[in-house]
Amino acid sequence: MYVGRYDPVRIPESGKLHIQKNGYVYWSNASKWDNEKKRSVDNRVSIGKAIPGQPGMMYPNKKYFDIFRLASNDFGKEGMGMSNMLSNLNIENFRGIQKLSIKDMRRLVLLSGNNNVGKSSVLEAVFFMMDHLSPDSFNLMNGLRGLNVPTNGVSLWEPLFYQMNPDNTIRIQATRGEDTLTLSYSKDESYIPAQNGEIPQNVAGSFQSSAKRYYTLRFVFLVEGSTDYTETGHFTTSDSGTLREVYDNDGKKQFMRLTYTSFVNNNVVRTDRAILDRMGKAELNGEKEKIIGFLKRIDPSISDIVTLSVSGIPQLYINTNKKLLPVQFSGDGINKLLYIVLSIMDAKDGILLVDEIDTGFHYSMYKDLWKIIADVSSDYNCQVIATTHSYENIIGAVEGAKEYPEDFSFYRLGYDKEGLKSFRSSYDLLKSALRSDMEVR
């Protein structure tokens, strides 16, 4: 079980909502006629529980944030834009990175380097910082790697530490506009969770026993610049789950909202059903034709995208050559491109992290891929940070982003005598290097 809960939110007004007698709030976006039941059946899922005595309010669950991510991160247009994007990043003792600094990042960021040099870890560090308040942050981080890690015990978070040693304090620092954000995690053998009225005594006892047997994980999150903000807290695990205790400057559980950040890798593209909801949201916003136009740049035979329910399971279909095919059968490139485009739209004014962006695309598609990414990210003010190990993809990025030279930055990660370094190239410098047939990977 998870002990704790998300902050209350308003019950969404969009979609089809159902509040059952037991107080749980259900949401659906599609329905079909069931011949056996002789009635319409929808694809409802629980998104939280209504709060007694507070009409229109509920405690959300994780599914709520999967469906209504923009709403859950809706902190107004003021102060957004480029101030939400990252320009500098410093990482210490995270995954396989002992120390790394990346400077002067732009809206389009491409990272390259040898295998196991730390490219994916850079993306995960950004994601971890922006998602650190999620009770499931450790499970999410391990899941991105496909790691089968127990959900209880200190092994839940130890894979995040350099050399899997929790004595190596994790420190992730980023520049966002005028602000410097710093997140640190360290081993704390002295802290024992206290009994409080929110946790049953037997459950609290299991966390206290676990903390004495192992240790708790202390974290500090700081924001310095246009505003000063501090969070401190601890994570404790036991057979009862994960206990998160967090306090801000005033000792209250009121948290600063961070830049919405989404992570895409090949595992997510193959398994994440959020694409259905994102496509539905885009269609409601009148953006369906725009998406079809992007896909037609890759495959001119595509004429439509529709959602159909087959055996009670909604699926996306692409109309190509006047034949409907499930999007999964239309090719890895089209499937991944659609996912990336929808993810950028969903991460408006935010950050999209794409690991191994070239996987699934034929090299002849790289130029069009990057032209689409450059255009969509510009329209939706989204910073895209991607990794690659393909020389052809780097060429495609330069050709595809030629209309946005000031918004593009390239980094090759590699080692010198002092350790891991990031070697930056501007758009013009990278273009000149490629013309000279220099090795830039």
Side-chain angles (χ1 to χ4, degrees), residues 96-267:
I97 298 176
Q98 186 174 24
K99 191 172 184 180
L100 177 66
S101 180
I102 301 176
K103 305 293 185 183
D104 194 20
M105 293 188 293
R106 304 299 176 90
R107 177 168 56 83
L108 300 173
V109 180
L110 184 58
L111 305 172
S112 187
N114 293 332
N115 290 334
N116 300 318
V117 76
K119 301 187 295 297
S120 299
S121 296
V122 171
L123 304 189
E124 292 172 334
V126 174
F127 186 77
F128 194 41
M129 168 173 277
M130 297 303 175
D131 199 56
H132 74 273
L133 279 178
S134 169
D136 297 321
S137 57
F138 301 108
N139 286 322
L140 288 172
M141 290 303 302
N142 292 322
L144 291 174
R145 290 287 183 105
L147 297 176
N148 185 17
V149 177
T151 57
N152 64 314
V154 295
S155 58
L156 178 65
W157 54 62
E158 286 188 345
L160 300 178
F161 287 83
Y162 180 67
Q163 296 181 336
M164 297 185 66
N165 183 354
D167 292 325
N168 296 321
T169 298
I170 292 174
R171 184 172 180 270
I172 304 170
Q173 187 178 77
T175 303
R176 185 184 69 170
E178 299 177 4
D179 295 331
T180 299
L181 287 61
T182 305
L183 174 68
S184 64
Y185 279 89
S186 58
K187 180 179 180 180
D188 190 342
E189 296 179 304
S190 63
Y191 181 81
I192 305 296
Q195 173 70 48
N196 64 68
E198 296 181 2
I199 306 174
Q201 184 173 356
N202 64 321
V203 176
S206 70
F207 287 118
Q208 292 168 346
S209 298
S210 178
K212 293 175 182 178
R213 181 180 180 184
Y214 300 106
Y215 61 88
T216 59
L217 190 67
R218 181 176 186 268
F219 81 90
V220 178
F221 178 70
L222 304 174
V223 179
E224 301 169 288
S226 63
T227 183
D228 292 328
Y229 173 82
T230 302
E231 289 170 3
T232 60
H234 289 83
F235 282 91
T236 311
T237 67
S238 74
D239 290 338
S240 297
T242 303
L243 174 65
R244 181 193 68 178
E245 299 173 287
V246 191
Y247 296 93
D248 67 0
N249 308 54
D250 302 319
K252 301 177 181 178
K253 295 179 181 178
Q254 298 175 351
F255 309 129
M256 171 177 281
R257 298 186 186 275
L258 296 175
T259 305
Y260 172 66
T261 305
S262 182
F263 195 107
V264 174
N265 64 12
N266 296 321
N267 291 329

Side-chain angles (χ1 to χ4, degrees), residues 27 40 45 69 87 96 113 115 139 154 185 208 220 255 266 281 291 302 304 332 339 350 373 382 385 400 404 424 437:
W27 179 89
S40 293
V45 294
R69 283 180 172 178
S87 56
N115 290 334
N139 286 322
V154 295
Y185 279 89
Q208 292 168 346
V220 178
F255 309 129
N266 296 321
K281 186 185 301 182
I291 295 170
I302 293 175
D304 199 4
D332 291 342
Y339 197 96
I373 290 175
C382 175
I385 307 176
Y404 307 91
R424 185 185 189 281
D437 293 326

Side-chain angles (χ1 to χ4, degrees), residues 403-440:
E403 296 181 15
Y404 307 91
E406 297 301 319
D407 292 340
F408 182 87
S409 54
F410 173 80
Y411 301 84
R412 179 177 62 83
L413 305 187
Y415 288 92
D416 63 10
K417 294 180 180 179
E418 298 179 358
L420 183 61
K421 300 289 183 181
S422 66
F423 301 91
R424 185 185 189 281
S425 296
S426 65
Y427 177 87
D428 290 336
L429 182 59
L430 178 60
K431 185 176 180 180
S432 297
L434 292 172
R435 284 179 175 175
S436 301
D437 293 326
M438 295 177 61
E439 176 56 64
V440 296

